[in-house]
């Protein structure tokens, strides 16, 4: 891949990581801002993907800024490299298995980092929402409202 003198080190790093892990990123690498990263253990259902993309848009990230990292098949080092290479502004962790994988990827000297489920927290300086199962929360009106309330804790872009 050729880069112009106008390319910056962040876009070069992002493009390199996206090329290496293209199978784990949905939608496929398209020109978008990559600000709103959703980490899932498996590809999300159409309903969950649409709800998260709409949430990203409502928070000012634009629907095209929402992308999904499927962590199934990645070891902790690879997951860390992928998320840090893309360098999103926010993280949404869609399920318990993805939370465990991300916790391993962002381990500390004391061992794996424990991510609290159904909470707003910080992951290496990024605001994050970690769900036990976003898909399950969509199934009932009361838990759907709780999911939206958590998502609204992410920084709003204007």
């Amino acid at each position: 891949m050729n880069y112009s003198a106008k390319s910056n080190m962040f876009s070069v790093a992002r493009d390199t990581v996206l090329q290496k892990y293209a199978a784990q990123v949905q939608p496929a690498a398209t020109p978008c801002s990559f600000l709103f990263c959703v980490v899932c253990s498996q590809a999300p259902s159409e309903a969950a993907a649409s709800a998260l993309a709409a949430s990203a848009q409502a928070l000012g990230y634009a629907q095209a800024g929402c992308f999904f990292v499927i962590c199934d098949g990645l070891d902790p080092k690879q997951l860390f490299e992928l998320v840090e290479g893309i360098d999103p502004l926010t993280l949404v962790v869609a399920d318990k298995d993805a939370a465990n994988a991300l916790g391993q990827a962002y381990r500390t000297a004391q061992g794996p980092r424990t991510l609290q489920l159904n909470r707003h927290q910080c992951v290496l300086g990024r605001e994050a929402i970690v769900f036990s199962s976003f898909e399950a929360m969509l199934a009932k009106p009361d838990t759907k409202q709780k999911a939206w309330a958590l998502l609204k804790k992410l920084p709003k872009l204007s």
Side-chain angles (χ1 to χ4, degrees), residues 30-94:
T30 57
C32 72
S33 59
F34 290 105
L35 295 175
F36 194 91
C37 176
V38 181
V39 180
C40 314
S41 60
Q42 302 289 324
S45 69
E46 190 175 319
S50 293
L52 287 163
S55 296
Q57 185 171 19
L59 293 168
Y61 293 89
Q63 215 164 359
C66 179
F67 68 99
F68 300 86
V69 168
I70 313 305
C71 61
D72 185 45
L74 294 176
D75 66 37
K77 183 179 176 186
Q78 291 171 320
L79 181 57
F80 183 85
E81 179 183 25
L82 175 54
V83 173
E84 287 302 308
I86 293 173
D87 193 24
L89 184 61
T90 62
L91 289 173
V92 174
V93 184

